[in-house]
Amino acid sequence: MPISDRIGPHLPALRRYARALTGTQSSGDAYVAATLETILIDPVTMLECDDDKARLFGLLSRIISSIPLSMSAGAGSIVPGSEAPFDLSDVPPLGRQALLLATVEGFSVEQTADILEAEETAIRTLLDAAFAEIAAQAETGIMIIEDEPLIALDLAHMVSGMGHRVTGIARTQAEAETLWSDSRPGLVLADVKLADGSSGIDAVNTILSRTTIPVIFITAYPEKLLTGERPEPAFLVSKPFNPEQVKVLINQALLFTPQTRAAA
């Protein structure tokens, strides 16, 4: 397949990433242009591979590393054009890159490490720091609907470690609806099958009929949600879950749902 056909579909995402990273359209597009010129001069840089998008972003990352990165006042803003974008000026440039790659572009921590040519442990540390900066600006209450005590405690520990508040843990649909009414959280982590045989899906549907907040389902039964027959959740994690994946999804939900910040 011609290189142009392979990279064409990924150029909008590449431009989005570069513009968010530098803070301006002109600077971001300049880095993308330099990346394309590199491919034009040396097509070997885009050898056939299993993941053209990751290869393209990796090449851009190397271009950024070789040319001083000029950051504008809006650099690192995750919500371009929003009234209150997150200020990530205190996050190191590599941390901003990791955050954008993991949250906006949807790369895994492993892929992000490969793109940035860094150790996974270093990327995890950078992401934790970036997530903490976001939490400091968008701290919110997070409600957990989970009937397994150990899993619920693990989730609560993770949420607290990210700088957010745990508004409570519900084990049944009735408990979840009451807890939401009493605590009004900004985000919900929900299981599907609950302790008394009730449904986390029904609990969430009741909550969403009264408010608009992001929900992340964490379940061993993803097939109950991925039916293609009705609106499906934007955020879904299968058990056993990877804590890093849940952290990224929490931050995606906070970054792209203005109502969450208003409810905090």
Side-chain angles (χ1 to χ4, degrees), residues 199-210:
S199 167
I201 299 174
D202 291 341
V204 165
N205 284 338
T206 298
I207 293 169
L208 293 181
S209 70
R210 301 170 182 170

Side-chain angles (χ1 to χ4, degrees), residues 213-254:
I213 57 173
V215 176
I216 300 173
F217 281 100
I218 304 175
T219 176
Y221 306 96
E223 67 278 0
K224 292 186 176 293
L225 293 162
L226 301 177
T227 63
E229 298 175 353
R230 58 185 175 185
E232 296 176 347
F235 307 107
L236 176 62
V237 180
S238 297
K239 292 181 179 178
F241 62 85
N242 179 339
E244 296 298 332
Q245 182 184 14
V246 179
K247 288 181 182 179
V248 168
L249 289 182
I250 287 174
N251 280 282
Q252 283 183 329
L254 294 177

Side-chain angles (χ1 to χ4, degrees), residues 88-246:
L88 302 179
S89 58
D90 290 335
V91 177
L94 192 63
R96 286 194 288 268
Q97 292 179 66
L99 179 66
L100 289 166
L101 289 170
T103 56
V104 179
E105 304 307 334
F107 289 108
S108 67
V109 175
E110 181 180 5
Q111 288 173 314
T112 298
D114 287 341
I115 289 169
L116 297 177
E117 298 181 331
E119 296 291 332
E120 271 190 60
T121 53
I123 294 301
R124 293 182 193 279
T125 299
L126 288 169
L127 284 173
D128 284 344
F131 291 163
E133 181 66 27
I134 291 172
Q137 298 177 48
E139 182 267 348
T140 193
I142 297 180
M143 178 176 119
I144 298 170
I145 306 174
E146 172 58 65
D147 64 334
E148 292 289 340
L150 291 180
I151 295 177
L153 289 174
D154 282 346
L155 290 171
H157 178 73
M158 181 187 66
V159 165
S160 298
M162 293 176 68
H164 300 294
R165 292 175 288 107
V166 177
T167 64
I169 298 172
R171 300 179 66 248
T172 67
Q173 178 181 348
E175 288 180 10
E177 293 173 6
T178 300
L179 179 59
W180 172 81
S181 181
D182 291 342
S183 63
R184 298 301 174 100
L187 184 146
V188 176
L189 303 178
D191 193 4
V192 171
K193 288 193 172 182
L194 303 179
D196 60 351
S198 59
S199 167
I201 299 174
D202 291 341
V204 165
N205 284 338
T206 298
I207 293 169
L208 293 181
S209 70
R210 301 170 182 170
T211 188
T212 301
I213 57 173
V215 176
I216 300 173
F217 281 100
I218 304 175
T219 176
Y221 306 96
E223 67 278 0
K224 292 186 176 293
L225 293 162
L226 301 177
T227 63
E229 298 175 353
R230 58 185 175 185
E232 296 176 347
F235 307 107
L236 176 62
V237 180
S238 297
K239 292 181 179 178
F241 62 85
N242 179 339
E244 296 298 332
Q245 182 184 14
V246 179

